Amino acid sequence: MTTQSDVLASIQANLQQAMERKKPKEQTVKFELDGQVRACCLLKPFNYSYLLKSIDDLFGSDTLTTIDRILCLFSRDDALRLPIGNDDDLNKVVAIAEVNQATKLNFLLIRKKDFSSSQIQSTMDSYDCGPMSDGAHSNEFHDTSLDSPPPGTIAPQKRRTTIKTTCKSATSNDGGIFIPESSDEVYSSGSSSVVSRESSSSENSTRRRLPTSYLVKRATTGSTVSGVSAMSSSSNSSHTSSSSSESLCTQCSCSGHHFRSPQTPSNWKLGRQLGQGAFGKVFLCYDVDTGSELAIKQIPIRGLSLETSREVKILECEINIYKQLNHERIVRYHGAVRTEDCLQIFMEYMTGGSVREQILNYGALTEPLAKKYTRQILEGLIYLHKNRFIHRDIKCANILRDISGNIKLADFGTSRRLIAITNQNQPDSGTIGTAHWTAPEIIQGSIFGRKADIWSLGCTIVEMLTTGPPWQNLQPIAAIFHIATCDKQEYQLPENVSNCAREFIDACLTKDYHQRPTADDLINHPFLSDVYNHNHHHHEQTCNQASPNLTLISF
Ligand SMILES: Nc1ncnc2c1ncn2[C@@H]1O[C@H](COP(=O)(O)OP(=O)(O)OP(=O)(O)O)[C@@H](O)[C@H]1O
């Protein structure tokens, strides 16, 4: 006799079978090497050595001997890139792709540092690279030279892509097939930290072209600035006149003319080193003309490809947009200057260093201090989000302290470009990367929006209270696998942490971003109810400020 549980078991088995049948039997895999994009379809399951063989098949034998790292690219703009080194990493990546129903896996192949352009040339010459889109085969290989372009050179708008071929099932023995990139895929640059379209109901995400009108206009009425819609693409000028810029003010309905954009120092002296991050070193900088001290981040850019050089140019331009952001919870950018060897980013000097360093020096923070920092982070986020910016890299290393123990958000908007420029993944400079703070929707690659910052805030509070983010013991690939596949983020907090704090963190770590609260929602959460609203006090002073050149200091 058939019991109810037999029926249920048979339904479940059928379902399982149906799901298995729906799973694609092959995986499109796309590789990029020196700006060359090639793809093939691999029959599943495939392992790491099969992946390596495909690289040789696609790019020519001996290519592997020149490769230093294979980075898997995640997120819509490929900003999250993690090294793949074995079967285990690859299995996790394939599993994430399956969960996300991703149509292809993207890998970036990084050459060994000492591999010269002439060697690249001979390797490229040694295989038939298939049909070319414009027949300019040999010239374009010269484009992959590691030399920087001469000053003033405009990099090509798009990397060369391969001509049309049909994507069909193929084993690596086929030597690979070429898949044309859509213009959207090719054009991956733009101000990725800018929320492209304002929508209260959805967290839209589209790739943006470089905004070339750098004047961010404030709204004529109300307290919200329609900054991004004012950033239209018009010319390819990269010069910003700081004297013509207006600062943004979203805190009140005042005129918004509190400050002018700061001037980029032109006459300055390098001071002591303040620290080192994944992308470069940070020094004290004395502005000889104004007598003020700033911080300067120097990012080495010698020997970049044309494509990467273009990223540097875009970052330079973006920083000139960020200069106009003016809020007491945001570290002020003072501009960027490119020299032959490095990109120099000038910013406000924060005497207390980062909260990450505070934790490393003094241990986990107490709940009241974590609460105060959380409130101040939210104040910064509310300002950024109102102005349609996403920070995208909230973590203790990017939260800097002033002398009186208040904090500001640093490094907004720059991380994605710096990753592309320096090809960093998990940095080897003692910093810990960003994978553990990344929101599931970013890993899924379909969307990113303001609520990704809220997820990272949740991870950052865990970091403040325990010295590390959730999944801190896992390697980055394993961590993002958990973030993408687990329904509930697990983390451990000290026993004495209040329920209210736990509820707040849980709210931030809501997997479905539709359900996740906004910064505006969270500022009213009971967890923060007993923190003094320092911001309000300060802003009243700011709005009543007589001279735009005076900086008020509040305690
Ligand atoms: N504006 C600043 N004022 C004072 N010190 C700073 C400033 N910016 C950075 N630093 C110091 O330099 C260190 C390195 O900063 P950087 O932004 O390069 O890397 P990071 O944020 O620590 O790590 P990552 O590169 O992973 O983001 C910081 O930890 C901090 O001590």
Side-chain angles (χ1 to χ4, degrees), residues 267-285:
N267 191 10
W268 52 274
K269 289 181 179 167
L270 200 66
R272 70 184 161 86
Q273 184 171 334
L274 296 172
Q276 167 144 24
F279 309 109
K281 291 180 180 162
V282 180
F283 296 89
L284 203 56
C285 161

Side-chain angles (χ1 to χ4, degrees), residues 275-278 282 295 297 348 350 357 395 397-398 400 411 431:
Q276 167 144 24
V282 180
K297 190 184 278 194
E348 181 182 352
M350 296 292 288
E357 288 163 332
K395 58 179 182 175
N398 288 336
L400 300 180
D411 283 355
T431 55

Side-chain angles (χ1 to χ4, degrees), residues 1 46 108 113 123 148 158 201 230 252 317 333 336-337 339 353 369 373 390 407 443 489 509 532 536 549:
M1 188 179 127
F46 56 91
L108 182 64
K113 278 219 163 60
T123 308
S148 294
K158 292 174 183 176
S201 60
C252 65
C317 299
Y333 282 113
V337 172
T339 67
L369 185 55
Y373 285 176
I390 311 169
I407 57 96
I443 299 167
Q489 187 86 337
L509 299 181
Y532 170 58
H536 179 66
N549 294 323

Side-chain angles (χ1 to χ4, degrees), residues 233-503:
S233 292
S234 57
S235 72
N236 59 5
S237 158
S238 64
H239 180 73
T240 301
S241 165
S242 54
S243 59
S244 66
S245 304
E246 292 174 347
S247 295
L248 306 178
C249 176
T250 62
Q251 300 165 82
C252 65
S253 54
C254 59
S255 67
H257 285 273
H258 305 311
F259 298 95
R260 291 193 178 279
S261 286
Q263 294 276 1
T264 307
S266 51
N267 191 10
W268 52 274
K269 289 181 179 167
L270 200 66
R272 70 184 161 86
Q273 184 171 334
L274 296 172
Q276 167 144 24
F279 309 109
K281 291 180 180 162
V282 180
F283 296 89
L284 203 56
C285 161
Y286 172 67
D287 185 334
V288 176
D289 294 327
T290 64
S292 59
E293 282 181 319
L294 301 175
I296 180 172
K297 190 184 278 194
Q298 298 191 323
I299 300 128
I301 54 168
R302 183 172 267 284
L304 295 182
S305 66
L306 286 181
E307 180 74 19
T308 317
S309 234
R310 186 167 160 266
E311 290 277 332
V312 174
K313 204 173 175 67
I314 294 170
L315 177 58
E316 233 184 306
C317 299
E318 285 177 348
I319 286 171
N320 284 321
I321 294 171
Y322 302 147
K323 262 170 71 167
Q324 298 171 60
L325 293 172
N326 176 26
H327 189 272
E328 68 168 336
R329 297 286 161 241
I330 303 289
V331 172
R332 196 89 196 257
Y333 282 113
H334 286 247
V337 172
R338 188 169 30 152
T339 67
E340 200 187 326
D341 288 341
C342 68
L343 177 67
Q344 310 186 110
I345 301 174
F346 297 91
M347 55 195 154
E348 181 182 352
Y349 170 44
M350 296 292 288
T351 47
S354 72
V355 172
R356 178 85 207 138
E357 288 163 332
Q358 180 183 6
I359 288 171
L360 292 177
N361 290 335
Y362 304 112
L365 307 188
T366 61
E367 184 174 329
L369 185 55
K371 186 189 294 210
K372 171 180 145 180
Y373 285 176
T374 302
R375 177 165 188 117
Q376 296 187 345
I377 295 169
L378 276 176
E379 288 167 0
L381 284 181
I382 287 172
Y383 173 78
L384 287 179
H385 293 176
K386 268 192 183 145
N387 285 293
R388 307 185 184 193
F389 287 88
I390 311 169
H391 187 292
R392 293 202 62 183
D393 203 9
I394 296 287
K395 58 179 182 175
C396 287
N398 288 336
I399 297 163
L400 300 180
R401 292 182 303 145
D402 66 18
I403 200 160
S404 47
N406 293 309
I407 57 96
K408 300 191 183 200
L409 305 181
D411 283 355
F412 52 92
T414 56
S415 59
R416 169 246 181 286
R417 296 254 174 251
L418 290 176
I419 287 168
I421 290 165
T422 60
N423 267 324
Q424 285 286 352
N425 42 21
Q426 285 310 291
D428 45 18
S429 57
T431 55
I432 42 182
T434 55
H436 293 76
W437 290 258
T438 306
E441 64 271 20
I442 290 193
I443 299 167
Q444 281 157 11
S446 53
I447 219 150
F448 61 79
R450 289 159 290 189
K451 292 196 180 167
D453 283 342
I454 301 299
W455 177 281
S456 304
L457 170 64
C459 299
T460 303
I461 303 171
V462 175
E463 184 187 8
M464 290 189 224
L465 295 170
T466 68
T467 76
W471 309 114
Q472 56 188 290
N473 299 325
L474 297 183
Q475 288 299 310
I477 282 279
I480 67 161
F481 172 77
H482 277 286
I483 294 168
T485 56
C486 292
D487 282 335
K488 193 159 172 10
Q489 187 86 337
E490 282 163 24
Y491 54 88
Q492 301 231 304
L493 294 176
E495 271 176 18
N496 59 354
V497 170
S498 69
N499 284 339
C500 208
R502 290 169 201 270
E503 280 166 20

